[in-house]
């Protein structure tokens, strides 16, 4: 029988630590059958993270799995699993793979020797291990801590502790409850969700004192203030997100906080431009909702969209970028060299140079009942806030791009079954091959080609779909708990004036792609720069640009390259 000493905090920390204070701290579990290595790993982890985490040890994969099960049974969070690869009976890859089924949110790191590099790469590809580290890791300040700092910061950004912070009281299928939780999650605000249908605490919080239910959803702030179904703008202000501009005029204003916008902000501000970024939802854009981005250079094990958004936002703020979110731009006015942005809720700012990086929105599903059930089981994009509650449920994903593929793999870690509905003949035309291979090999993912959603059924929530077969026209009704839609891409450009030329789908023309007719009023001797629109000083980057490459790396590249052209424009103003 495996020993349970790994759960005795006093034995791990020594007499100078208070086990009561540490008992509820998230756990870091290190595993190695070599006692000397295990003690060294635990020592280095304690030195860096002992104040905020419980550092636990196990000397075999079996013992470590028992510890993980016990922590999960007690409801204690596990932040990180760090395991040696070469262990008898159960190697590190197998342990991390089996542990992921118990604590799917924990970060997983494989500790390897040089000879085990192939096993480490396979673990990343097949078992979705987050990182691998080579032995020896000395000095830890250079080779160990930077890696774990990033992983733990990413884990912390999505950590929802059971006490403290913002509390959201709602039923699981409330569209407004989903809106509030999605806003908090995408902006990295820790919160606790209390389901009024299952939680006695939630029922007590919404009672008016006479046993009658109160208004839902209810948001209770850290200081105890209660907000009944607050609009997103009000919630943002109450949690301290700035929405009012500090200046009336900027060198560079950026509309859209996805990868392209954040890259422009970082490069612009770092080179001395007074920069403001306006985002109508949350920094990160559509990419920020991605469960995993695995082909971004420099991150061999990938990173989540939320992690990318968090890193980019922090980097922009480090250079002094002013971020206004959520704030929506409703109109653009051109007055010679000046551009003025009018906000939907009143007020305006002006700038010399304007970057358009609004990205795109997912198209709405054209199926009976879909609109009525939006936020009640039908979601657009990954909707990561719903992932924790779909354990053992039947999930459908509509779409055949990388975002759909990553979402299917993410939900398959917890759902009983994931069914991908693909209108075309296969996945290969629009999805990266590494995702196609992984999806085809996953035992809980079913791919149906030539299939689409004809109708969504349910009253209070989604409970079934009608699926149509394109080849035969036959329709079948199937039980469904959740539907995630990743189809098409609609640019949010309706607020732009006619001077900013767009193609038939609304994407903005730039540089040599601008039709000659759209340049009849071009006032300068020089032609538009490569990423410049049909109005001097208006630049475009990312998915909103006509004929752009729909990849995160290309959006970041365009956003940073555009700043070079912005400097050349400003030099002539």
């Amino acid at each position: 029988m495996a020993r349970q000493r790994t759960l005795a905090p006093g034995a791990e920390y020594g007499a100078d630590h208070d086990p009561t204070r540490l008992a509820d701290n998230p756990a870091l579990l290190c595993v190695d059958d070599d006692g000397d290595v295990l003690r060294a790993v635990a020592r280095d982890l304690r030195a860096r993270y002992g104040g905020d985490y419980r550092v636990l040890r196990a000397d075999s994969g079996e013992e470590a799995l028992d510890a993980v099960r016990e922590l999960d049974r007690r409801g204690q969070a596990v932040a990180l699993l760090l395991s040696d690869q070469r262990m008898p009976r159960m190697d590190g890859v197998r342990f991390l793979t089996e542990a992921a089924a118990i604590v799917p949110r924990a970060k997983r790191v494989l500790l390897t020797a040089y000879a085990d590099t192939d096993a480490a790469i396979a673990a990343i590809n097949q078992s979705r291990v987050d990182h691998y580290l080579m032995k020896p890791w000395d000095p830890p300040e250079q080779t160990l801590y930077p890696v774990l700092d990033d992983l733990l910061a990413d884990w912390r950004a999505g950590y929802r502790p059971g006490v403290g912070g913002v509390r959201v009281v709602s039923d699981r299928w409330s569209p407004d409850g989903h809106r509030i939780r999605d806003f908090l999650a995408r902006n990295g605000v820790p919160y606790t969700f209390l389901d009024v249908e299952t939680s006695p605490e939630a029922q007590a919080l919404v009672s008016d004192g006479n046993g009658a239910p109160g208004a839902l959803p209810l948001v209770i702030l850290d200081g105890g203030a209660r907000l009944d179904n607050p609009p997103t703008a009000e919630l943002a202000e109450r949690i301290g997100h700035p929405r009012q501009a500090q200046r009336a005029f900027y060198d560079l204003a950026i509309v859209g906080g996805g990868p392209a916008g954040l890259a422009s902000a970082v490069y612009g501000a770092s080179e001395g431009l007074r920069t403001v970024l306006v985002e109508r939802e949350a920094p990160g854009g559509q990419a920020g909702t991605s469960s995993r981005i695995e082909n971004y250079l420099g991150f061999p094990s990938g990173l989540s969209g939320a992690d990318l958004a968090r890193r980019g936002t922090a980097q922009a703020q480090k250079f002094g970028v002013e971020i206004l979110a959520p704030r929506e731009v409703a109109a653009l006015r051109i007055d010679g060299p000046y551009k003025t942005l009018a906000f939907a809720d009143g007020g305006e700012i002006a700038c010399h140079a304007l970057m358009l990086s609004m990205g795109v929105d997912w198209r709405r599903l054209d199926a009976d009942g879909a609109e009525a059930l939006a936020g009640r089981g039908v979601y657009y994009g990954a909707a990561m806030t719903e992932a924790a509650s779909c354990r053992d449920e039947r999930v459908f994903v509509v779409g055949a791009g990388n975002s759909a593929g990553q979402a299917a793999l993410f939900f398959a870690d917890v759902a009983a079954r994931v069914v991908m509905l693909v209108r075309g003949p296969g996945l290969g035309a629009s999805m990266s091959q590494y995702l196609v291979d992984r999806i085809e090999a996953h035992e809980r993912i079913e791919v149906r080609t030539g299939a689409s959603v004809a109708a969504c059924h349910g009253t209070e929530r989604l409970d079934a779909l009608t699926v149509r077969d394109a080849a035969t026209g036959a329709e079948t009704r199937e039980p469904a708990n959740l539907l995630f839609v990743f189809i098409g891409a609609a640019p949010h450009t309706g607020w732009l004036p006619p001077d900013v030329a767009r193609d038939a789908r609304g994407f903005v023309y730039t540089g040599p792609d601008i039709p000659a007719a759209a340049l009849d009023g071009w006032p300068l001797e020089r032609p538009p720069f490569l990423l410049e629109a049909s109005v001097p000083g208006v630049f475009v980057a990312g998915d909103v640009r006509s004929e752009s490459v729909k990849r995160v790396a290309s959006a970041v590249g365009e956003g940073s390259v555009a700043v070079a052209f912005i400097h050349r424009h400003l030099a002539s103003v």
Side-chain angles (χ1 to χ4, degrees), residues 1-7 58-60 62-64 66-67:
M1 181 176 178
R3 299 182 298 278
Q4 296 298 314
R5 60 177 173 78
T6 55
L7 297 181
D59 57 18
S60 71
E62 296 91 339
E63 180 178 322
D66 284 343

Side-chain angles (χ1 to χ4, degrees), residues 109-195:
V109 179
L110 191 67
L111 194 61
T112 71
Y114 179 78
D116 295 326
T117 303
D118 288 345
I121 296 299
I124 290 174
N125 289 336
Q126 299 167 16
S127 303
R128 309 189 84 185
V129 168
D130 293 288
H131 206 91
Y132 74 89
L133 289 166
M134 302 287 289
K135 294 189 290 188
W137 60 91
D138 290 328
E141 291 77 11
Q142 295 179 20
T143 59
L144 178 66
Y145 296 150
V147 171
L148 300 190
D149 285 349
D150 277 347
L151 291 173
L152 290 172
D154 187 24
W155 182 84
R156 276 282 183 188
Y159 178 42
R160 305 289 176 254
V163 295
V166 176
R167 287 177 288 175
V168 179
V169 184
S170 177
D171 72 83
R172 179 186 171 189
W173 306 108
S174 163
D176 279 321
H178 169 73
R179 168 183 59 82
I180 289 169
R181 290 184 288 127
D182 194 55
F183 169 78
L184 293 172
R186 292 186 61 190
N187 282 276
V189 180
Y191 72 91
T192 301
F193 172 55
L194 301 173
D195 190 339

Side-chain angles (χ1 to χ4, degrees), residues 188-398:
V189 180
Y191 72 91
T192 301
F193 172 55
L194 301 173
D195 190 339
V196 74
E197 294 182 347
T198 60
S199 167
E201 181 185 357
Q203 294 160 9
L205 285 170
V206 300
S207 172
D208 64 0
N210 298 313
L216 290 176
L218 170 67
V219 177
I220 304 174
L221 302 181
D222 216 0
R226 299 164 66 96
L227 307 178
D228 294 333
N229 193 16
T232 304
E234 178 188 352
L235 180 59
E237 291 177 348
R238 296 295 294 270
I239 62 176
H241 278 223
R243 298 185 65 252
Q244 301 301 320
Q246 297 177 8
R247 304 172 181 267
F249 190 86
Y250 295 85
D251 298 320
L252 171 62
I254 302 165
V255 182
L262 286 170
S264 294
V266 168
Y267 277 85
S270 67
E271 295 173 10
L273 300 181
R274 291 174 299 177
T275 304
V276 63
L277 185 150
V278 185
E279 166 57 46
R280 65 190 177 111
E281 293 181 354
Q286 192 182 91
T289 68
S290 177
S291 58
R292 204 76 184 159
I293 302 168
E294 295 193 67
N295 53 2
Y296 192 61
L297 184 66
F299 293 86
S301 56
L303 75 169
S304 68
D307 189 23
L308 179 66
R310 176 184 57 80
R311 292 167 184 257
T313 301
Q315 197 170 14
Q317 290 173 327
K318 180 182 83 169
F319 291 117
V321 175
E322 191 178 330
I323 298 178
L324 309 180
R327 198 86 192 269
E328 184 171 4
V329 177
L332 168 63
R333 187 172 70 252
I334 308 295
D335 184 13
Y338 305 108
K339 293 88 186 166
T340 301
L341 297 171
F343 295 115
D345 56 358
E348 58 184 36
I349 58 173
C351 61
H352 271 312
L354 174 64
M355 167 62 74
L356 302 177
S357 52
M358 297 86 69
V360 294
D361 296 325
W362 296 115
R363 293 191 184 278
R364 310 299 280 188
L365 185 66
D366 184 18
D368 291 343
E371 196 60 34
L373 290 169
R376 299 179 181 274
V378 176
Y379 304 100
Y380 293 86
M384 308 309 293
T385 51
E386 305 305 322
S389 57
C390 72
R391 183 177 295 276
D392 300 327
E393 293 186 333
R394 189 173 172 85
V395 175
F396 283 75
V397 174
V398 178

Side-chain angles (χ1 to χ4, degrees), residues 499 514-524 534:
D499 312 57
I514 302 174
L519 294 175
D520 286 345
W522 182 260
L524 305 180
S534 53

Side-chain angles (χ1 to χ4, degrees), residues 535-550:
V535 173
V538 176
F539 297 83
V540 190
D543 289 358
V544 74
R545 189 176 67 82
S546 180
E547 301 301 323
S548 67
V549 178
K550 305 299 188 285

